[in-house]
């Protein structure tokens, strides 16, 4: 799990009275300039005259930096001093052109889960900036990928809870639009790896042979992903989870590969109770 770096600002671009935390509000910075990462936005918040808004945490593809404590009400929601937005911890996801947006989204999901957990809340207490002021924010996640983001938050929240807290029921799958022509944009918007190697692996799973990244191959891959077509079964049986090391299985549990709840995870891993106890211990060690 990501660690939230504390780099608190002495600026007072916030409401004077402490806030009762009711949830987490997700934003995107809308700043696509190269270098407009979390560190840059943290520096911006130390100069209150440079910008008329403030937020609690900024996240990019490498780190999460906190500028205002959770209970400090920042100027982020756009619904005024009497609005409910001031009671939400604001998280800004960086969209800088030289960053990996998919990774930034994943880091933001981890950050949101941590903030919710430490404030005694659940993933049902997460909202878009749009919910407070009607602004089209977070723009990319609102366009496509919000459901996947919320699912990520649920998975990470469950990891932090040791499997004792069940996440909300899965959000229904998004309906295919068939309007997106860029496979890279499609994957990034859903928080998935868009590298050529990852696309080649996806293509192979869906029966697209000799993937080279042509337009027709990419359109075919988007169509299969949107329609939910089942991937082609591999010709060779996949290696069984029981052949993996404890460290490998712990990583898979943390990333949500084996679902939620100890019984379900052990069944998915296909290991005995003694081995699962080792995996659980390794997971707990990493998350301390």
């Amino acid at each position: 799990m990501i660690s939230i770096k504390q780099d608190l600002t002495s600026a007072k671009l916030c409401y004077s009275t402490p806030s009762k935390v009711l949830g987490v509000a997700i934003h995107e910075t809308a700043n696509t300039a190269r270098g407009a990462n979390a560190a840059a936005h943290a520096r911006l918040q130390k100069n209150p005259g440079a910008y008329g808004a403030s937020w609690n945490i900024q996240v990019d593809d490498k780190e999460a930096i906190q500028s205002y404590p959770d209970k400090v009400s920042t100027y982020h929601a756009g619904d005024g001093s009497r609005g409910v937005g001031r009671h939400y911890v604001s998280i800004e996801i960086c969209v800088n052109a030289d960053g990996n947006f998919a990774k930034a989204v994943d880091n933001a999901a981890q950050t949101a889960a941590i903030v919710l957990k430490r404030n005694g809340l659940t993933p049902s207490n997460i909202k878009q900036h749009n919910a407070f002021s009607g602004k089209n924010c977070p723009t990319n996640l609102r366009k496509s990928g919000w459901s996947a983001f919320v699912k990520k938050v649920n998975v990470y929240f469950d990891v932090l809870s040791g499997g004792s807290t069940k996440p909300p029921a899965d959000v229904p799958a998004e309906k295919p639009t068939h309007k997106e022509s860029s496979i890279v944009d499609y994957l990034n918007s859903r928080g998935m790896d868009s590298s050529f190697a990852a696309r080649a692996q996806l293509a192979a799973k869906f029966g697209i042979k000799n993937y080279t990244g042509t337009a027709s191959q990419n359109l075919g891959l988007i169509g299969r992903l949107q329609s939910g077509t089942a991937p082609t079964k591999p010709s060779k049986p996949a290696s069984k989870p029981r052949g993996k090391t404890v460290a490998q299985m712990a990583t898979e549990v943390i990333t949500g590969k084996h679902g939620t709840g100890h019984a379900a995870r052990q069944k998915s891993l296909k290991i005995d109770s003694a081995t699962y106890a080792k995996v659980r211990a390794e997971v707990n060690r990493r998350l301390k």
Side-chain angles (χ1 to χ4, degrees):
M1 294 286 285
I2 195 170
S3 296
I4 303 176
K5 178 182 177 181
Q6 299 295 303
D7 186 18
L8 302 181
T9 177
S10 58
K12 300 299 181 182
L13 196 61
C14 56
Y15 295 104
S16 59
T17 56
S19 167
K20 177 183 178 181
V21 178
L22 298 180
V24 168
I26 301 299
H27 303 249
E28 289 175 15
T29 63
N31 187 351
T32 59
R34 298 179 67 84
N37 54 19
H41 283 84
R43 289 193 297 271
L44 178 65
Q45 295 217 78
K46 292 187 176 183
N47 182 8
Y51 200 66
S54 57
W55 50 92
N56 298 89
I57 303 170
Q58 45 265 309
V59 185
D60 62 16
D61 56 346
K62 297 180 177 61
E63 60 184 344
I65 304 175
Q66 184 148 17
S67 295
Y68 288 90
D70 291 358
K71 292 186 178 181
V72 170
S73 299
T74 56
Y75 298 159
H76 72 96
D79 60 349
S81 61
R82 296 185 179 181
V84 71
R86 63 176 297 182
H87 297 289
Y88 280 68
V89 178
S90 46
I91 297 177
E92 288 275 1
I93 306 175
C94 295
V95 295
N96 48 305
D98 54 344
N100 183 329
F101 181 66
K103 179 58 178 172
V105 168
D106 186 74
N107 286 344
Q110 295 182 50
T111 302
I114 292 170
V115 172
L116 290 167
K117 180 66 177 176
R118 71 190 183 191
N119 284 284
L121 302 171
T122 70
S124 63
N125 302 111
I126 188 168
K127 292 187 177 184
Q128 302 175 11
H129 178 191
N130 173 266
F132 306 105
S133 65
K135 182 178 180 179
N136 185 25
C137 178
T139 306
N140 293 295
L141 289 180
R142 280 177 53 75
K143 180 180 178 182
S144 58
W146 178 254
S147 295
F149 176 77
V150 174
K151 288 180 181 179
K152 280 177 174 287
V153 175
N154 273 289
V155 169
Y156 289 124
F157 186 86
D158 191 56
V159 170
L160 291 170
S161 303
S164 60
T165 301
K166 294 182 180 180
D170 286 345
V171 179
E174 298 175 15
K175 295 181 179 179
T177 63
H178 298 290
K179 294 181 180 179
E180 294 159 285
S181 58
S182 169
I183 185 65
V184 173
D185 289 345
Y186 180 90
L187 294 173
N188 283 341
S189 70
R190 286 156 177 78
M192 300 169 68
D193 187 351
S194 63
S195 66
F196 179 82
R199 284 181 275 134
Q201 289 180 349
L202 277 174
K205 288 181 179 179
F206 282 96
I208 301 175
K209 298 180 180 179
N210 303 317
Y211 179 82
T212 58
T214 65
S216 61
Q217 288 176 326
N218 288 338
L219 285 172
L221 184 53
I222 288 177
R224 286 169 171 78
L225 288 167
Q226 289 182 327
S227 64
T229 303
T232 303
K233 292 183 179 179
S235 57
K236 295 181 180 180
S239 58
K240 296 181 179 180
R242 63 170 60 99
K244 297 176 182 177
T245 65
V246 168
Q248 289 174 324
M249 289 187 283
T251 297
E252 291 180 353
V253 168
I254 291 174
T255 57
K257 184 175 181 180
H258 297 286
T260 60
H262 296 306
R265 288 175 182 152
Q266 183 179 343
K267 182 177 180 181
S268 176
L269 286 165
K270 298 180 181 178
I271 55 178
D272 57 32
S273 298
T275 304
Y276 181 72
K278 295 178 181 179
V279 173
R280 184 178 177 186
E282 176 61 14
V283 169
N284 291 335
R285 184 189 69 80
R286 293 188 193 181
L287 297 178
K288 284 183 178 180

